PDB file of all heavy atoms in Angstrom:
ATOM      1  N   ASN A   1     -10.739   4.077   9.476  1.00 98.00           N
ATOM      2  CA  ASN A   1     -11.907   4.747  10.022  1.00 98.00           C
ATOM      3  C   ASN A   1     -11.753   6.260   9.895  1.00 98.00           C
ATOM      4  O   ASN A   1     -10.648   6.762   9.694  1.00 98.00           O
ATOM      5  CB  ASN A   1     -12.095   4.363  11.482  1.00 98.00           C
ATOM      6  CG  ASN A   1     -12.326   2.883  11.682  1.00 98.00           C
ATOM      7  OD1 ASN A   1     -12.924   2.204  10.844  1.00 98.00           O
ATOM      8  ND2 ASN A   1     -11.845   2.358  12.796  1.00 98.00           N
ATOM      9  N   SER A   2     -12.856   6.954  10.052  1.00 98.00           N
ATOM     10  CA  SER A   2     -12.855   8.422   9.989  1.00 98.00           C
ATOM     11  C   SER A   2     -12.104   8.914   8.753  1.00 98.00           C
ATOM     12  O   SER A   2     -11.253   9.805   8.838  1.00 98.00           O
ATOM     13  CB  SER A   2     -12.219   8.999  11.253  1.00 98.00           C
ATOM     14  OG  SER A   2     -12.912   8.569  12.404  1.00 98.00           O
ATOM     15  N   LEU A   3     -12.428   8.337   7.632  1.00 98.00           N
ATOM     16  CA  LEU A   3     -11.718   8.673   6.404  1.00 98.00           C
ATOM     17  C   LEU A   3     -11.940  10.123   5.999  1.00 98.00           C
ATOM     18  O   LEU A   3     -13.027  10.691   6.225  1.00 98.00           O
ATOM     19  CB  LEU A   3     -12.140   7.735   5.279  1.00 98.00           C
ATOM     20  CG  LEU A   3     -11.496   6.350   5.350  1.00 98.00           C
ATOM     21  CD1 LEU A   3     -12.294   5.347   4.522  1.00 98.00           C
ATOM     22  CD2 LEU A   3     -10.058   6.409   4.865  1.00 98.00           C
ATOM     23  N   LYS A   4     -10.902  10.697   5.414  1.00 98.00           N
ATOM     24  CA  LYS A   4     -10.929  12.083   4.976  1.00 98.00           C
ATOM     25  C   LYS A   4     -10.660  12.142   3.479  1.00 98.00           C
ATOM     26  O   LYS A   4     -10.027  11.232   2.931  1.00 98.00           O
ATOM     27  CB  LYS A   4      -9.846  12.878   5.709  1.00 98.00           C
ATOM     28  CG  LYS A   4      -9.928  12.823   7.222  1.00 98.00           C
ATOM     29  CD  LYS A   4      -8.743  13.543   7.857  1.00 98.00           C
ATOM     30  CE  LYS A   4      -8.786  13.478   9.367  1.00 98.00           C
ATOM     31  NZ  LYS A   4      -7.634  14.183   9.991  1.00 98.00           N
ATOM     32  N   PRO A   5     -11.078  13.191   2.815  1.00 97.00           N
ATOM     33  CA  PRO A   5     -10.792  13.311   1.377  1.00 97.00           C
ATOM     34  C   PRO A   5      -9.302  13.193   1.065  1.00 97.00           C
ATOM     35  O   PRO A   5      -8.934  12.654   0.013  1.00 97.00           O
ATOM     36  CB  PRO A   5     -11.342  14.703   1.035  1.00 97.00           C
ATOM     37  CG  PRO A   5     -12.462  14.902   2.006  1.00 97.00           C
ATOM     38  CD  PRO A   5     -11.985  14.266   3.278  1.00 97.00           C
ATOM     39  N   GLU A   6      -8.459  13.659   1.964  1.00 97.00           N
ATOM     40  CA  GLU A   6      -7.014  13.576   1.725  1.00 97.00           C
ATOM     41  C   GLU A   6      -6.468  12.154   1.837  1.00 97.00           C
ATOM     42  O   GLU A   6      -5.290  11.915   1.555  1.00 97.00           O
ATOM     43  CB  GLU A   6      -6.242  14.515   2.665  1.00 97.00           C
ATOM     44  CG  GLU A   6      -6.595  14.359   4.123  1.00 97.00           C
ATOM     45  CD  GLU A   6      -7.612  15.399   4.586  1.00 97.00           C
ATOM     46  OE1 GLU A   6      -8.604  15.619   3.857  1.00 97.00           O
ATOM     47  OE2 GLU A   6      -7.419  15.956   5.690  1.00 97.00           O
ATOM     48  N   ASP A   7      -7.302  11.205   2.246  1.00 98.00           N
ATOM     49  CA  ASP A   7      -6.900   9.792   2.239  1.00 98.00           C
ATOM     50  C   ASP A   7      -7.075   9.164   0.862  1.00 98.00           C
ATOM     51  O   ASP A   7      -6.681   8.012   0.641  1.00 98.00           O
ATOM     52  CB  ASP A   7      -7.705   8.993   3.259  1.00 98.00           C
ATOM     53  CG  ASP A   7      -7.434   9.416   4.693  1.00 98.00           C
ATOM     54  OD1 ASP A   7      -6.249   9.642   5.024  1.00 98.00           O
ATOM     55  OD2 ASP A   7      -8.402   9.528   5.471  1.00 98.00           O
ATOM     56  N   THR A   8      -7.670   9.900  -0.049  1.00 98.00           N
ATOM     57  CA  THR A   8      -7.868   9.391  -1.399  1.00 98.00           C
ATOM     58  C   THR A   8      -6.535   9.092  -2.065  1.00 98.00           C
ATOM     59  O   THR A   8      -5.653   9.945  -2.129  1.00 98.00           O
ATOM     60  CB  THR A   8      -8.642  10.410  -2.248  1.00 98.00           C
ATOM     61  OG1 THR A   8      -9.966  10.554  -1.707  1.00 98.00           O
ATOM     62  CG2 THR A   8      -8.735   9.964  -3.699  1.00 98.00           C
ATOM     63  N   ALA A   9      -6.381   7.856  -2.518  1.00 98.00           N
ATOM     64  CA  ALA A   9      -5.125   7.421  -3.120  1.00 98.00           C
ATOM     65  C   ALA A   9      -5.272   5.983  -3.593  1.00 98.00           C
ATOM     66  O   ALA A   9      -6.263   5.310  -3.275  1.00 98.00           O
ATOM     67  CB  ALA A   9      -3.980   7.509  -2.106  1.00 98.00           C
ATOM     68  N   VAL A  10      -4.272   5.543  -4.318  1.00 98.00           N
ATOM     69  CA  VAL A  10      -4.142   4.120  -4.608  1.00 98.00           C
ATOM     70  C   VAL A  10      -3.307   3.515  -3.474  1.00 98.00           C
ATOM     71  O   VAL A  10      -2.219   4.013  -3.169  1.00 98.00           O
ATOM     72  CB  VAL A  10      -3.474   3.872  -5.961  1.00 98.00           C
ATOM     73  CG1 VAL A  10      -3.291   2.376  -6.196  1.00 98.00           C
ATOM     74  CG2 VAL A  10      -4.306   4.489  -7.080  1.00 98.00           C
ATOM     75  N   TYR A  11      -3.826   2.488  -2.868  1.00 98.00           N
ATOM     76  CA  TYR A  11      -3.167   1.841  -1.740  1.00 98.00           C
ATOM     77  C   TYR A  11      -2.494   0.545  -2.216  1.00 98.00           C
ATOM     78  O   TYR A  11      -3.116  -0.275  -2.897  1.00 98.00           O
ATOM     79  CB  TYR A  11      -4.181   1.547  -0.641  1.00 98.00           C
ATOM     80  CG  TYR A  11      -4.563   2.780   0.132  1.00 98.00           C
ATOM     81  CD1 TYR A  11      -5.340   3.786  -0.448  1.00 98.00           C
ATOM     82  CD2 TYR A  11      -4.135   2.980   1.443  1.00 98.00           C
ATOM     83  CE1 TYR A  11      -5.673   4.934   0.239  1.00 98.00           C
ATOM     84  CE2 TYR A  11      -4.475   4.126   2.155  1.00 98.00           C
ATOM     85  CZ  TYR A  11      -5.240   5.095   1.543  1.00 98.00           C
ATOM     86  OH  TYR A  11      -5.568   6.241   2.245  1.00 98.00           O
ATOM     87  N   TYR A  12      -1.242   0.380  -1.800  1.00 97.00           N
ATOM     88  CA  TYR A  12      -0.443  -0.765  -2.212  1.00 97.00           C
ATOM     89  C   TYR A  12      -0.019  -1.586  -1.001  1.00 97.00           C
ATOM     90  O   TYR A  12       0.426  -1.048   0.008  1.00 97.00           O
ATOM     91  CB  TYR A  12       0.819  -0.311  -2.951  1.00 97.00           C
ATOM     92  CG  TYR A  12       0.561   0.429  -4.233  1.00 97.00           C
ATOM     93  CD1 TYR A  12       0.422   1.815  -4.240  1.00 97.00           C
ATOM     94  CD2 TYR A  12       0.468  -0.258  -5.445  1.00 97.00           C
ATOM     95  CE1 TYR A  12       0.195   2.496  -5.423  1.00 97.00           C
ATOM     96  CE2 TYR A  12       0.241   0.419  -6.630  1.00 97.00           C
ATOM     97  CZ  TYR A  12       0.104   1.803  -6.602  1.00 97.00           C
ATOM     98  OH  TYR A  12      -0.128   2.482  -7.778  1.00 97.00           O
ATOM     99  N   CYS A  13      -0.104  -2.872  -1.167  1.00 96.00           N
ATOM    100  CA  CYS A  13       0.374  -3.803  -0.155  1.00 96.00           C
ATOM    101  C   CYS A  13       1.855  -4.087  -0.413  1.00 96.00           C
ATOM    102  O   CYS A  13       2.281  -4.188  -1.567  1.00 96.00           O
ATOM    103  CB  CYS A  13      -0.442  -5.089  -0.254  1.00 96.00           C
ATOM    104  SG  CYS A  13       0.012  -6.363   0.892  1.00 96.00           S
ATOM    105  N   HIS A  14       2.625  -4.217   0.643  1.00 95.00           N
ATOM    106  CA  HIS A  14       4.069  -4.397   0.505  1.00 95.00           C
ATOM    107  C   HIS A  14       4.562  -5.446   1.486  1.00 95.00           C
ATOM    108  O   HIS A  14       4.110  -5.515   2.636  1.00 95.00           O
ATOM    109  CB  HIS A  14       4.769  -3.058   0.783  1.00 95.00           C
ATOM    110  CG  HIS A  14       6.260  -3.135   0.812  1.00 95.00           C
ATOM    111  ND1 HIS A  14       6.988  -3.064   1.981  1.00 95.00           N
ATOM    112  CD2 HIS A  14       7.159  -3.253  -0.195  1.00 95.00           C
ATOM    113  CE1 HIS A  14       8.269  -3.153   1.700  1.00 95.00           C
ATOM    114  NE2 HIS A  14       8.399  -3.255   0.385  1.00 95.00           N
ATOM    115  N   LEU A  15       5.494  -6.261   1.014  1.00 93.00           N
ATOM    116  CA  LEU A  15       6.140  -7.271   1.852  1.00 93.00           C
ATOM    117  C   LEU A  15       7.650  -7.142   1.682  1.00 93.00           C
ATOM    118  O   LEU A  15       8.137  -6.995   0.563  1.00 93.00           O
ATOM    119  CB  LEU A  15       5.690  -8.676   1.421  1.00 93.00           C
ATOM    120  CG  LEU A  15       6.489  -9.873   1.942  1.00 93.00           C
ATOM    121  CD1 LEU A  15       6.302 -10.022   3.443  1.00 93.00           C
ATOM    122  CD2 LEU A  15       6.066 -11.159   1.241  1.00 93.00           C
ATOM    123  N   VAL A  16       8.354  -7.165   2.783  1.00 92.00           N
ATOM    124  CA  VAL A  16       9.811  -7.141   2.713  1.00 92.00           C
ATOM    125  C   VAL A  16      10.358  -8.336   3.494  1.00 92.00           C
ATOM    126  O   VAL A  16       9.919  -8.626   4.610  1.00 92.00           O
ATOM    127  CB  VAL A  16      10.396  -5.816   3.264  1.00 92.00           C
ATOM    128  CG1 VAL A  16       9.975  -5.562   4.701  1.00 92.00           C
ATOM    129  CG2 VAL A  16      11.912  -5.798   3.124  1.00 92.00           C
ATOM    130  N   TYR A  17      11.287  -9.035   2.867  1.00 89.00           N
ATOM    131  CA  TYR A  17      11.889 -10.191   3.509  1.00 89.00           C
ATOM    132  C   TYR A  17      13.245 -10.453   2.898  1.00 89.00           C
ATOM    133  O   TYR A  17      13.384 -10.432   1.665  1.00 89.00           O
ATOM    134  CB  TYR A  17      11.004 -11.429   3.346  1.00 89.00           C
ATOM    135  CG  TYR A  17      11.617 -12.683   3.916  1.00 89.00           C
ATOM    136  CD1 TYR A  17      11.682 -12.872   5.285  1.00 89.00           C
ATOM    137  CD2 TYR A  17      12.172 -13.661   3.086  1.00 89.00           C
ATOM    138  CE1 TYR A  17      12.269 -14.006   5.816  1.00 89.00           C
ATOM    139  CE2 TYR A  17      12.760 -14.789   3.612  1.00 89.00           C
ATOM    140  CZ  TYR A  17      12.805 -14.954   4.980  1.00 89.00           C
ATOM    141  OH  TYR A  17      13.386 -16.075   5.513  1.00 89.00           O
ATOM    142  N   ALA A  18      14.239 -10.626   3.737  1.00 89.00           N
ATOM    143  CA  ALA A  18      15.602 -10.931   3.293  1.00 89.00           C
ATOM    144  C   ALA A  18      16.088  -9.924   2.257  1.00 89.00           C
ATOM    145  O   ALA A  18      16.746 -10.295   1.275  1.00 89.00           O
ATOM    146  CB  ALA A  18      15.663 -12.347   2.725  1.00 89.00           C
ATOM    147  N   GLY A  19      15.765  -8.669   2.493  1.00 90.00           N
ATOM    148  CA  GLY A  19      16.239  -7.621   1.602  1.00 90.00           C
ATOM    149  C   GLY A  19      15.493  -7.491   0.295  1.00 90.00           C
ATOM    150  O   GLY A  19      15.861  -6.674  -0.550  1.00 90.00           O
ATOM    151  N   MET A  20      14.469  -8.283   0.128  1.00 92.00           N
ATOM    152  CA  MET A  20      13.671  -8.238  -1.096  1.00 92.00           C
ATOM    153  C   MET A  20      12.332  -7.556  -0.829  1.00 92.00           C
ATOM    154  O   MET A  20      11.726  -7.754   0.218  1.00 92.00           O
ATOM    155  CB  MET A  20      13.428  -9.654  -1.620  1.00 92.00           C
ATOM    156  CG  MET A  20      14.695 -10.368  -2.040  1.00 92.00           C
ATOM    157  SD  MET A  20      15.423  -9.666  -3.520  1.00 92.00           S
ATOM    158  CE  MET A  20      14.179 -10.126  -4.734  1.00 92.00           C
ATOM    159  N   ASP A  21      11.924  -6.754  -1.800  1.00 93.00           N
ATOM    160  CA  ASP A  21      10.636  -6.054  -1.713  1.00 93.00           C
ATOM    161  C   ASP A  21       9.652  -6.662  -2.689  1.00 93.00           C
ATOM    162  O   ASP A  21       9.990  -6.927  -3.853  1.00 93.00           O
ATOM    163  CB  ASP A  21      10.809  -4.576  -2.045  1.00 93.00           C
ATOM    164  CG  ASP A  21      11.580  -3.834  -0.973  1.00 93.00           C
ATOM    165  OD1 ASP A  21      10.979  -3.527   0.062  1.00 93.00           O
ATOM    166  OD2 ASP A  21      12.777  -3.593  -1.186  1.00 93.00           O
ATOM    167  N   TYR A  22       8.441  -6.842  -2.218  1.00 93.00           N
ATOM    168  CA  TYR A  22       7.376  -7.357  -3.057  1.00 93.00           C
ATOM    169  C   TYR A  22       6.181  -6.411  -2.959  1.00 93.00           C
ATOM    170  O   TYR A  22       5.837  -5.949  -1.867  1.00 93.00           O
ATOM    171  CB  TYR A  22       6.951  -8.757  -2.604  1.00 93.00           C
ATOM    172  CG  TYR A  22       8.095  -9.757  -2.576  1.00 93.00           C
ATOM    173  CD1 TYR A  22       8.879  -9.905  -1.432  1.00 93.00           C
ATOM    174  CD2 TYR A  22       8.393 -10.535  -3.696  1.00 93.00           C
ATOM    175  CE1 TYR A  22       9.929 -10.807  -1.401  1.00 93.00           C
ATOM    176  CE2 TYR A  22       9.437 -11.434  -3.670  1.00 93.00           C
ATOM    177  CZ  TYR A  22      10.206 -11.572  -2.522  1.00 93.00           C
ATOM    178  OH  TYR A  22      11.249 -12.460  -2.501  1.00 93.00           O
ATOM    179  N   TRP A  23       5.583  -6.144  -4.112  1.00 95.00           N
ATOM    180  CA  TRP A  23       4.459  -5.209  -4.165  1.00 95.00           C
ATOM    181  C   TRP A  23       3.263  -5.870  -4.811  1.00 95.00           C
ATOM    182  O   TRP A  23       3.401  -6.620  -5.777  1.00 95.00           O
ATOM    183  CB  TRP A  23       4.835  -3.977  -4.988  1.00 95.00           C
ATOM    184  CG  TRP A  23       5.896  -3.122  -4.370  1.00 95.00           C
ATOM    185  CD1 TRP A  23       7.235  -3.194  -4.580  1.00 95.00           C
ATOM    186  CD2 TRP A  23       5.692  -2.065  -3.434  1.00 95.00           C
ATOM    187  NE1 TRP A  23       7.880  -2.249  -3.823  1.00 95.00           N
ATOM    188  CE2 TRP A  23       6.963  -1.538  -3.127  1.00 95.00           C
ATOM    189  CE3 TRP A  23       4.565  -1.503  -2.827  1.00 95.00           C
ATOM    190  CZ2 TRP A  23       7.141  -0.471  -2.234  1.00 95.00           C
ATOM    191  CZ3 TRP A  23       4.743  -0.449  -1.940  1.00 95.00           C
ATOM    192  CH2 TRP A  23       6.009   0.059  -1.652  1.00 95.00           C
ATOM    193  N   GLY A  24       2.093  -5.528  -4.272  1.00 93.00           N
ATOM    194  CA  GLY A  24       0.871  -5.944  -4.918  1.00 93.00           C
ATOM    195  C   GLY A  24       0.367  -4.845  -5.829  1.00 93.00           C
ATOM    196  O   GLY A  24       0.840  -3.702  -5.777  1.00 93.00           O
ATOM    197  N   LYS A  25      -0.589  -5.184  -6.661  1.00 92.00           N
ATOM    198  CA  LYS A  25      -1.255  -4.167  -7.449  1.00 92.00           C
ATOM    199  C   LYS A  25      -2.089  -3.324  -6.512  1.00 92.00           C
ATOM    200  O   LYS A  25      -2.588  -3.814  -5.509  1.00 92.00           O
ATOM    201  CB  LYS A  25      -2.137  -4.808  -8.514  1.00 92.00           C
ATOM    202  CG  LYS A  25      -1.350  -5.533  -9.600  1.00 92.00           C
ATOM    203  CD  LYS A  25      -2.268  -6.090 -10.660  1.00 92.00           C
ATOM    204  CE  LYS A  25      -1.458  -6.797 -11.742  1.00 92.00           C
ATOM    205  NZ  LYS A  25      -2.327  -7.374 -12.796  1.00 92.00           N
ATOM    206  N   GLY A  26      -2.222  -2.067  -6.823  1.00 93.00           N
ATOM    207  CA  GLY A  26      -2.913  -1.159  -5.938  1.00 93.00           C
ATOM    208  C   GLY A  26      -4.418  -1.326  -5.955  1.00 93.00           C
ATOM    209  O   GLY A  26      -4.999  -1.872  -6.890  1.00 93.00           O
ATOM    210  N   THR A  27      -5.026  -0.815  -4.905  1.00 96.00           N
ATOM    211  CA  THR A  27      -6.482  -0.743  -4.838  1.00 96.00           C
ATOM    212  C   THR A  27      -6.859   0.699  -4.539  1.00 96.00           C
ATOM    213  O   THR A  27      -6.273   1.331  -3.656  1.00 96.00           O
ATOM    214  CB  THR A  27      -7.048  -1.716  -3.786  1.00 96.00           C
ATOM    215  OG1 THR A  27      -8.475  -1.678  -3.807  1.00 96.00           O
ATOM    216  CG2 THR A  27      -6.559  -1.404  -2.372  1.00 96.00           C
ATOM    217  N   LEU A  28      -7.795   1.226  -5.300  1.00 97.00           N
ATOM    218  CA  LEU A  28      -8.133   2.647  -5.223  1.00 97.00           C
ATOM    219  C   LEU A  28      -9.123   2.910  -4.092  1.00 97.00           C
ATOM    220  O   LEU A  28     -10.158   2.251  -3.984  1.00 97.00           O
ATOM    221  CB  LEU A  28      -8.724   3.123  -6.549  1.00 97.00           C
ATOM    222  CG  LEU A  28      -9.193   4.566  -6.613  1.00 97.00           C
ATOM    223  CD1 LEU A  28      -8.023   5.526  -6.387  1.00 97.00           C
ATOM    224  CD2 LEU A  28      -9.862   4.848  -7.962  1.00 97.00           C
TER     225      LEU A  28
END
C-alpha cells in the first residue's frame, strides 16, 4: 500500500528450508 516511485523494482519470491535457498522468477 501507499506505493512510492522508489518501490519500483523487480520483486522476487524466496523460500529457505534446511539450508537451501529457492528463488522464483521476478515480477516487475
